[in-house]
Amino acid sequence: MKKIFSILTLAGLSLALNSCADKFDEIDVNPNSTENPLPTGLFNNANKEYMDYTRDAWVSGRMMLPWVQYSAQRQYTEEDRYQYRLTTGTQLWTRSYYVAEDLRKIIELNTDPATAAQMTNYGSNANQIAAARVMLSYVFLNLVDTFGDIPYWSYGNKDADFQALNVKQNLQPKFASQQKVYADIMNELKEASEMIDLTQDVVFTSGDQLFKSPEKLKKFANSLRLRVATRVKGVVPGAEANITDAIASGVMTSNDDTVGLTYENNLVNPSPFFAAYQTRSDFAISKTFVQLLKGQVGNFGEDPRIFKYASPTSVKIGNIRNQTMVEATNANQISGMPYGLPSTLAASQAASSSFFGASILKPAYTEVFMEYAEVEFLLAEANGWSQSNYENGVRASMERWNVPADKINTFLSALPAASKANVLTQKYVALFMQPNEAWAEYRRNGYPNHLLLPGQTASLNVPSSSGQTSYTFTSLIAGLTDLPTRIFYPTTVQTLNTTNYEAASNAIGGDKMDTKLIWDKN
């Protein structure tokens, strides 16, 4: 934690947030970087740092996972009720720009005549550049989805508004409009896919933790473009054409194509969410999610993924820490934590609530950037709510979580027919542990439609000490009657890049948590 807060203290000096120019070369650097980096090291460090600081106990655990009601906190419920710590948003912003700068450096090394030839020792220049462009698109996509207008940088487009990362020339970058950012991300992914050299056996000659093969990189680029284009169709010109072209260019076709980062099976370099449980026990599976998986809401019946997603209530924090967790054998052994409680009621419900499942709370968990199941759901939408793509998506999700084949077949045999509601609700179930994408999807389309919203009443698991059996979910952010639609720009941006911050705030309709992004139609 000292490391995190030390970095956050320097957030105003970071690559994204800017500071005084007189000592820039001394202080405005990523503390995890090196003066003479190898491209593979930069690439792996960037991807790991991104997951370490966006799928951790803060950005994911205390903001995005609970907001989409995959989880509920067992102690400090204020964040579940949308009053998140502003340092969490700063962490997401700052770390994303650190990562973006490392990825930009890979491009620089492979395009600078002084270093490009040397870089071929680590893979073809084209494939290294393509990999960096694709991951830059991923990072910037999550930034624009979260904040709205943002400082942005592009390899292929020298638009005067794209001023991020050029920090030595411009310490106070403009914010590019969402329209421009989404349009350029689609173009970057298209161009990156087209420049990949498929005659090579690898992307990087050694050490690549994500793709290994150029074919997998290409499928990821096209699949990510399909995600982006689907999000902004009808809003950003050219999105529909990008959907068609991305599919034609080749998207993921099996779980082997899923892109994720697998952590080490030890306590030195474990997955970030598992690491949180070594000192905390704050996070439980949400009751609203458990109700969906049990078939108590919706029309899907009991979902066998519940045994992978959630643990029986008999599992305690010690079982997580010493890795003696077990799976439930009956759904009645699983109970979700009531979501959005007043903190005064949390303690009375925690003991009767389930933690996440053993498939998740393990050191060697794989944090997913994008998976094949999502692609099938995107194809179902593109193909007019296709039944076959819908079933493929459900099957792929269950197979990735190692659900037994007989249970998969039983669930699919009773699966309700494909429709917008059914496809998108199953997509939500499959996106578990990828809450940033689930949050974006809810804002875009309004599914799932069973989430507990401000002003609604829900039941407790057990009566409180005063005999209370229900509660009302109350937002702590005035005016929010649904999920937040974005988060605040960091305060460091407001104070150190005031003119451009104010211009961006005015352009999007105000730096508020209920300001809608351009594609938010829910």
Side-chain angles (χ1 to χ4, degrees), residues 94-159:
T94 305
R95 284 292 175 174
S96 295
Y97 282 102
Y98 277 160
V99 167
E101 175 58 19
D102 280 351
L103 294 168
R104 186 205 63 79
K105 181 65 175 178
I106 295 170
I107 294 174
E108 179 183 295
L109 290 168
N110 280 276
T111 53
D112 186 340
T115 56
Q118 179 187 358
M119 290 305 107
T120 59
N121 292 321
Y122 310 107
S124 78
N125 295 133
N127 285 345
Q128 292 184 62
I129 294 169
R133 292 176 81 177
V134 170
M135 296 314 298
L136 273 167
S137 296
Y138 187 92
V139 171
F140 279 122
L141 174 63
N142 286 336
L143 278 168
V144 69
D145 283 349
T146 303
F147 293 97
D149 293 9
I150 55 168
Y152 178 74
W153 183 86
S154 173
Y155 170 74
N157 187 341
K158 305 310 175 187
D159 190 300

Side-chain angles (χ1 to χ4, degrees), residues 218-233:
K218 189 176 185 71
K219 287 182 178 181
F220 178 63
N222 292 326
S223 299
L224 187 58
R225 180 156 59 110
L226 176 60
R227 172 195 281 183
V228 181
T230 301
R231 180 155 303 147
V232 300
K233 64 182 179 182

